[in-house]
Every structure is written in C-alpha cells, then in structure tokens.
C-alpha cells in the first residue's frame, strides 16, 4: 500500500529564517506530486506540482520554491520566511493515469 | 476553469442523511466533479468523483444533475466522525498534471 509522509508536523520559525519541508511517498513510483497551502479559515491553494524528477511547475508567484531531487521526494523551501508564509502545508500525490490525489498529514508552519 | 459554489456551513443530526449541495454551472463536458473532506488539522481525504452518472461507494453517494450544473453529496447515515469541511471540486486537466482547485467548502457539523 502507498503512504505519504510529511515532516515536521509543526514548525515555528522567525521572520527571515530559512525553511525546508519534506514530503516522501512510499509504495509507488513516478507519481505526480503537489504542494498546497491552507491559510487559517481558507481553502487550499496549489503552490507547486511536479510530474517527474527535477520538473517543477509553480502556480503562484511567492516567496517559496520547490524541488524534487528523487522520484518520491518533494521539498518545499524558502530562503527568508515572511509572516504571510504561515499556514498549513499539505503534500499530495497522484498515480499517473488515475484521477485521485492522496494527501499527507500536513505541516503547520507559524512564522513569528 | 469551472468554479464551484457551496454553502459555508450545514448541520445534520447523527443517523440522518447529510445532503451537501454544490453548484458548478460553468463546468465543461470533460471535467469531473470530485468531493474531498478535511477533518480538523488533517489532510484532505478523497470521498468520491463522477462525470455524468450517479456514483456510490462505501463512504457516500454522488448525484449529478442531468445538465451537470450541480451535484449533491449524500452521506446516508451521518456520524459524529463525519464532522468536517467538505470540498466540491472540478478537476482541471493540464496535460498530465491534473490539478485540483479547492474552494472554501461546506463545514458540516453532525450533532447528537
């Protein structure tokens, strides 16, 4: 069976500090991978998606970047965090040729 | 992209059917309707999806109108564990990326 992991589960960081959130998927190969952000009381916003190693598409201009160094690893980064980067960050995967996305448990980021 | 409209909140008594409506009047012919739910502080969970015909699985039923401009998710016997935010989503196909666009959803509160 497939599982998706995210860490850390929670993170408190000062403004201007760097960020690295990691997502890994087990039990599948060559998945599509997604990063979403959910601000408090709002819907999910797609940030990045990847259809393969080293292939990243950005949905919105922002202070964040993503990388996919391995087939089942997706990393969300920032060089300098802003207050507005606070939120609930979700990673998701989808098997190519199918319709359903499966979400990880999320990372709650608070920037102070 | 087709947008969806959902009521912000609904209440349902435990054991009763919960009927969650969704309008997607600008849906195009090849776009699927998806339903996910998000229990507090967890990642979204896939429920069901459909194109034209009504669908049923172990979690819920999906009723899509003949003109496809609206749909209803039915939880036949709601329990307290069904309390969550329910998202109605129309799938956007971008090559192989198959992005999902989430709105603000309907907050379903199941009560005793």
């Amino acid at each position: 069976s497939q599982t998706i992991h995210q860490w850390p589960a929670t993170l408190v960081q000062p403004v201007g500090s760097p960020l690295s959130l990691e997502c890994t998927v087990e039990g599948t190969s060559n998945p599509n991978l997604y990063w979403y952000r959910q601000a408090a009381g709002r819907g999910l916003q797609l940030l990045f998606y990847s259809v393969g190693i080293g292939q990243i598409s950005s949905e919105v201009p922002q202070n964040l970047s993503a990388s996919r160094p391995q087939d089942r690893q997706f990393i969300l980064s920032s060089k300098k965090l802003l207050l507005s980067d606070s939120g609930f960050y979700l990673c998701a995967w989808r098997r190519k040729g199918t319709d359903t996305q499966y979400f990880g448990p999320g990372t709650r980021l608070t920037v102070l | 992209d087709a947008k969806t409209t959902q009521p912000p909140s609904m209440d349902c008594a435990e054991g009763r059917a919960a009927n969650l409506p969704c309008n997607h009047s600008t849906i195009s012919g090849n776009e699927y309707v998806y339903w996910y739910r998000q229990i507090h502080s967890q990642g979204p969970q896939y429920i069901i999806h459909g194109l034209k015909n009504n669908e049923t699985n172990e979690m819920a039923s999906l009723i899509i109108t003949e003109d496809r401009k609206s749909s209803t998710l039915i939880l036949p016997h709601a329990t307290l564990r069904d309390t969550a935010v329910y998202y109605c989503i129309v799938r956007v196909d971008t090559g192989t990326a198959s992005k999902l666009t989430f709105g603000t959803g309907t907050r379903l509160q199941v009560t005793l």
Side-chain angles (χ1 to χ4, degrees):
Chain A
S1 64
Q2 299 81 27
T3 55
I4 179 168
H5 304 278
Q6 287 186 243
W7 64 89
T10 59
L11 189 61
V12 180
Q13 291 284 97
V15 170
S17 63
L19 173 74
S20 180
L21 302 181
E22 189 164 345
C23 170
T24 59
V25 181
E26 296 177 356
T28 189
S29 61
N30 195 27
N32 281 3
L33 296 172
Y34 305 82
W35 277 112
Y36 291 85
R37 176 172 60 201
Q38 186 173 37
R42 305 186 68 176
L44 275 70
Q45 177 189 33
L46 178 63
L47 302 175
F48 300 95
Y49 67 90
S50 170
V51 299
I53 296 174
Q55 301 178 64
I56 308 295
S57 296
S58 175
E59 283 298 292
V60 293
Q62 59 206 320
N63 184 40
L64 302 169
S65 62
S67 62
R68 185 170 176 175
Q70 300 180 41
D71 181 46
R72 289 169 289 175
Q73 184 185 32
F74 205 21
I75 297 173
L76 184 70
S77 304
S78 173
K79 292 182 180 178
K80 288 186 179 181
L81 283 169
L82 305 172
L83 286 174
S84 57
D85 292 324
S86 293
F88 191 41
Y89 287 83
L90 289 152
C91 180
W93 74 274
R94 179 180 74 88
R95 182 180 291 115
K96 290 184 173 61
T98 66
D99 299 318
T100 304
Q101 288 188 23
Y102 299 95
F103 287 79
T107 294
R108 188 162 300 282
L109 171 67
T110 303
V111 182
L112 302 175
Chain B
D1 303 350
K3 292 192 168 125
T4 62
T5 305
Q6 298 176 252
S9 64
M10 292 182 63
D11 291 332
C12 178
E14 189 177 33
R16 298 283 192 154
N19 297 290
L20 294 97
C22 179
N23 288 323
H24 30 79
S25 58
T26 59
I27 193 171
S28 61
N30 60 350
E31 289 180 312
Y32 285 75
V33 179
Y34 281 79
W35 284 84
Y36 283 75
R37 73 180 182 184
Q38 187 175 21
I39 296 170
H40 183 63
S41 294
Q42 296 182 22
Q45 176 190 23
Y46 166 80
I47 301 174
I48 199 167
H49 75 283
L51 182 64
K52 293 181 183 178
N53 301 322
N54 299 336
E55 302 287 344
T56 296
N57 63 21
E58 65 278 3
M59 291 183 67
S61 295
L62 174 60
I63 308 299
I64 302 175
T65 58
E66 191 169 344
D67 63 8
R68 302 211 324 125
K69 294 186 177 182
S70 65
S71 61
T72 301
L73 178 75
I74 301 172
L75 308 178
H77 304 287
T79 70
L80 296 177
R81 287 176 298 199
D82 292 322
T83 294
V85 178
Y86 286 77
Y87 295 98
C88 169
I89 299 156
V90 173
R91 185 182 70 156
V92 175
D93 233 335
T94 305
T96 59
S98 188
K99 300 181 291 182
L100 295 177
T101 302
F102 285 76
T104 53
T106 295
R107 183 173 299 277
L108 175 68
Q109 180 69 52
V110 181
T111 57
L112 290 171

